[in-house]
Amino acid sequence: MSLVIGCCCFNTQADISNDSELANSAQWLALLHIHKGEPQIIDSDFLLSSNDSGFSPRHSLRATRDLFLQQRKAICRFPARYLWMQKQGLIAGDAAEESCPDYAEFLRSVPIDEVSVIFASEQLASPSSMMGHSMLALTGENGSGQNIDHGVSFFTPLDSGNPASLIYETMIVGKRGILSVHPLQQALSRYRFDEQRNVWRYPLVLNDYQRELIQAHLWELKQVDIPYYFQSHNCATVTLDILRIAVDIDQERSDWISPIDLVNEVDRWGIIRERQLFPSERWQVRMLGDFINKDDKKDVVAWVEGDSAAAPMGLMPQLLARHLISYRRQEGLLGVDDYRALTAEMTSWPTTEVILTDYRDPLKNAPDSYIDFGWEQDNTSDWITLDWTPSSHDLSSDNRNYFGESALQLSALGVRYRPTDMALQLNSWELYRVRALNPYHSLTGGWSGYLDIAFEREATDSINSRFGLTLAGGGGLTAQLGRDAGVYALLGMKLRTMTDDVTPYVVPELGAWLYEIGNMKSWLSYKIDQPIHGERIDRVAFDHSIKLGRRGQLNFSIEKVKVRQDTVTNSSAALRYYF
């Protein structure tokens, strides 16, 4: 783009005839970040509606036109709108020129010859990363002739250690968002080396005008206040809205967008040129370790720990050794001198590369939102059930493309209806429920854990159940028995709060899962709720799911709960739709 922007004059006839149609076009709505008729960025300096007319896309279009006519410098403030209006024939340049030095410097320092979507895998131990992270990568030649990469991320500082406060701020009242343009390598290094997360990069097929429009709009966004809501205006939502400016998609996006939803949406547009995987060292060590026999693995470990006589032989063991010493160095488990000595010994080894692009591809996962419609039977009644999980997945889902078996549920709501007396009950409201069954690995270790904050209904005897607040958390170990099976053992604490009672529990749990032929999956678990004072509650549950394509699933479950001398049996069946 030219570093000097021509002064505008308007084609009045085009404006009169196309004003209403253009104001409601997908690209103009995207430039204003309008979703379902409502602006997502409410900064009045960004929307530009006159005070007497109120906000509407049409009023904003006219206000932008008037601003350009009255103040030539406004073109430097809204270059993306200027480019779009030019493209629509609403603006024509004349001999006069307006210099924009700050914007010109931005163009030189943040070149954009290629745009990519970046997806960093989930990190369930971190509230800000438990669903992964998405951002844009911009690549190009700067004013000095150097090829450089920038990342564009939208986030909010998580400055509260209180989970309840964090949920309230990020989901109810909102927080101030930050749109950051930063060196890409810094972010990739943090994800891959500091946090040991996999990173996928998806270069996009965009023309010069589309890339120019994105670049100009980033300049516009850097100067406004953008609100952050975890469920509705997060890193994925804002990134997708930026891309929609360039890719003219006349279709409303979903309300809930997760990082992997963003990648799936862009994939549906058909603009992904290729898929690039940049795996973490921990992930590569785990993967390679699973394909090497025990004797070769022992030799690799012995060599890394100083036994030069156990130097690994063969391409795969040597590749494992390369990644293992790199992983241990990144984790501080291997000193600089030892690392250099081992690296020197590897100079005579042949260079080996394993193509991992399609291995555990996140695009193979189901979408991150689902609704369940089904039936439930307890000891006394039959119920019709409806469960809505707007952003996450659970243990019944196909999790084989994740790092381990995991569950994440945010603001999941469950209700049930009894037709016999038309009783309607709130069955559960899961504010925050996360479970990470990370398999322990002989080369990298690994702990499992969970944290629950939920209002839910629990049986108190063979007839009655009570609704209350549950706070629970714990940890333990998981063992992977091949790719399709595993077992786990957890020990946790639970605080059960009701209107007239607060009861603490110690909660040991054992469980196992198995992926079966026919896209089926089964879970078996045994859990004891042992109160500090009182009788324990035993729970045995079996869950079975059948995957129906990418968006459907059948779930069946049966749970036996022993409360005092009574046994409560709960059975359920549900049809799930992912969206």
Side-chain angles (χ1 to χ4, degrees):
M1 180 180 185
S2 171
L3 301 185
V4 178
I5 298 180
C7 177
C8 62
C9 63
F10 282 78
N11 183 328
T12 307
Q13 290 183 343
D15 180 47
I16 292 173
S17 61
N18 296 327
D19 168 285
S20 179
E21 180 181 345
L22 291 174
N24 290 288
S25 66
Q27 276 190 302
W28 179 248
L29 296 179
L31 280 164
L32 298 182
H33 289 246
I34 304 296
H35 175 59
K36 292 187 175 178
E38 295 296 327
Q40 305 302 293
I41 300 174
I42 58 176
D43 190 328
S44 59
D45 292 334
F46 179 76
L47 292 177
L48 295 185
S49 275
S50 57
N51 294 331
D52 57 344
S53 60
F55 171 76
S56 76
R58 189 177 186 182
H59 292 158
S60 187
L61 180 65
R62 291 178 173 180
T64 304
R65 172 199 62 188
D66 294 342
L67 183 64
F68 285 165
L69 286 172
Q70 296 163 10
Q71 302 178 29
R72 292 189 305 185
K73 275 288 185 183
I75 299 170
C76 305
R77 171 68 184 85
F78 296 106
R81 299 185 193 186
Y82 173 76
L83 288 170
W84 180 80
M85 287 184 173
Q86 274 191 321
K87 188 77 170 180
Q88 306 309 314
L90 295 176
I91 301 176
D94 61 16
E97 293 182 336
E98 184 62 44
S99 176
C100 304
D102 292 339
Y103 178 53
E105 179 57 31
F106 175 75
L107 296 180
R108 278 193 296 266
S109 15
V110 187
I112 185 167
D113 298 329
E114 181 181 83
V115 180
S116 302
V117 170
I118 299 291
F119 172 73
S121 62
E122 74 284 351
Q123 186 187 38
L124 295 177
S126 170
S128 63
S129 306
M130 55 193 172
M131 298 186 71
H133 181 70
S134 60
M135 63 180 183
L136 293 178
L138 312 178
T139 302
E141 185 178 296
N142 66 8
S144 303
Q146 298 174 313
N147 283 319
I148 56 175
D149 291 315
H150 283 90
V152 180
S153 296
F154 179 69
F155 62 95
T156 189
L158 298 181
D159 45 15
S160 173
N162 184 336
S165 174
L166 185 64
I167 291 171
Y168 177 73
E169 290 179 351
T170 60
M171 299 186 70
I172 308 298
V173 300
K175 286 175 65 68
R176 178 177 175 270
I178 297 174
L179 185 73
S180 171
V181 179
H182 49 80
L184 179 64
Q185 194 55 46
Q186 291 181 2
L188 297 185
S189 296
R190 183 176 75 253
Y191 296 144
R192 294 181 60 206
F193 306 137
D194 299 342
E195 300 175 1
Q196 292 296 322
R197 297 162 67 181
N198 291 341
V199 176
W200 281 264
R201 183 169 184 164
Y202 304 92
L204 306 180
V205 179
L206 300 174
N207 60 37
D208 291 344
Y209 170 71
Q210 290 173 313
R211 295 194 300 271
E212 191 176 11
L213 202 59
I214 290 174
Q215 189 179 29
H217 189 63
L218 291 175
W219 174 257
E220 295 177 350
L221 291 179
K222 281 174 62 65
Q223 305 173 68
V224 298
D225 290 330
I226 308 175
Y228 180 98
Y229 291 89
F230 184 87
Q231 77 282 14
S232 60
H233 209 235
N234 52 39
C235 67
T237 311
V238 172
T239 302
L240 185 61
D241 286 346
I242 291 171
L243 290 174
R244 287 172 64 91
I245 292 162
V247 184
D248 191 4
I249 300 294
D250 191 13
Q251 181 181 358
E252 200 76 64
R253 65 165 172 82
S254 300
D255 293 326
W256 296 71
I257 296 289
S258 71
I260 193 57
D261 288 336
L262 161 67
V263 179
N264 279 305
E265 183 69 15
V266 175
D267 189 42
R268 281 193 291 273
W269 295 349
I271 61 172
I272 292 179
R273 191 179 72 240
E274 62 176 316
R275 303 176 185 185
Q276 303 170 353
L277 170 60
F278 303 91
S280 69
E281 295 293 0
R282 170 189 279 182
W283 192 81
Q284 292 193 84
V285 168
R286 281 177 173 263
M287 186 274 295
L288 291 168
D290 291 339
F291 289 98
I292 294 175
N293 63 52
K294 291 182 179 180
D295 290 337
D296 285 339
K297 195 183 301 183
K298 286 182 179 179
D299 287 342
V300 169
V301 173
W303 179 76
V304 170
E305 293 179 350
D307 184 359
S308 58
M313 303 296 292
L315 295 179
M316 292 296 282
Q318 288 176 351
L319 186 59
L320 173 61
R322 287 182 186 275
H323 290 296
L324 182 57
I325 66 170
S326 180
Y327 168 71
R328 290 195 174 186
R329 178 70 194 126
Q330 291 169 12
E331 295 293 294
L333 303 174
L334 189 65
V336 176
D337 292 339
D338 291 336
Y339 176 76
R340 288 175 178 171
L342 291 171
T343 302
E345 291 186 39
M346 294 190 302
T347 55
S348 61
W349 295 0
T351 302
T352 307
E353 182 180 3
V354 177
I355 304 301
L356 300 171
T357 304
D358 293 328
Y359 186 70
R360 300 201 176 189
D361 185 351
L363 285 175
K364 297 176 182 177
N365 290 327
D368 268 334
S369 303
Y370 60 81
I371 187 168
D372 289 340
F373 181 77
W375 159 88
E376 177 184 305
Q377 183 184 64
D378 57 25
N379 275 17
T380 60
S381 306
D382 289 290
W383 301 82
I384 297 172
T385 61
L386 180 66
D387 295 275
W388 177 58
T389 304
S391 188
S392 58
H393 59 280
D394 66 3
L395 293 177
S396 73
S397 303
D398 186 343
N399 293 319
R400 284 175 289 187
N401 285 298
Y402 288 99
F403 197 52
E405 288 296 314
S406 63
L408 173 64
Q409 293 170 294
L410 302 170
S411 196
L413 194 65
V415 296
R416 64 180 187 174
Y417 172 74
R418 185 167 54 200
T420 54
D421 59 354
M422 295 186 293
L424 182 66
Q425 291 183 346
L426 177 61
N427 207 31
S428 63
W429 182 22
E430 297 167 350
L431 298 175
Y432 179 90
R433 175 161 284 171
V434 60
R435 177 166 294 216
L437 301 179
N438 299 317
Y440 180 85
H441 196 277
S442 59
L443 299 177
T444 61
W447 291 94
S448 298
Y450 68 95
L451 177 64
D452 297 341
I453 304 175
F455 292 95
E456 56 189 355
R457 191 173 302 278
E458 288 189 358
T460 56
D461 53 45
S462 61
I463 298 177
N464 301 305
S465 63
R466 294 190 66 184
F467 195 77
L469 173 64
T470 297
L471 305 174
L477 291 172
T478 299
Q480 189 85 33
L481 308 178
R483 178 172 167 79
D484 296 325
V487 296
Y488 66 91
L490 301 170
L491 180 63
M493 296 290 295
K494 180 171 81 170
L495 190 66
R496 176 75 173 161
T497 303
M498 290 176 283
T499 54
D500 58 352
D501 182 48
V502 178
T503 305
Y505 296 84
V506 177
V507 185
E509 179 181 352
L510 298 173
W513 74 88
L514 174 67
Y515 287 93
E516 301 144 330
I517 59 173
N519 288 321
M520 296 188 294
K521 181 181 183 182
S522 296
W523 274 87
L524 179 64
S525 66
Y526 174 57
K527 181 165 60 175
I528 299 172
D529 288 356
Q530 178 62 61
I532 301 301
H533 301 289
E535 297 184 23
R536 78 183 199 183
I537 302 172
D538 293 75
R539 305 176 188 274
V540 179
F542 176 76
D543 297 275
H544 184 70
S545 61
I546 304 172
K547 188 177 178 182
L548 305 175
R550 188 168 178 273
R551 292 183 176 269
Q553 185 171 293
L554 278 174
N555 293 328
F556 305 93
S557 68
I558 182 168
E559 180 186 36
K560 286 191 173 292
V561 183
K562 184 178 180 182
V563 185
R564 300 184 181 90
Q565 301 303 314
D566 299 323
T567 298
V568 179
T569 301
N570 297 316
S571 304
S572 67
L575 176 63
R576 173 173 298 178
Y577 174 72
Y578 289 96
F579 60 94

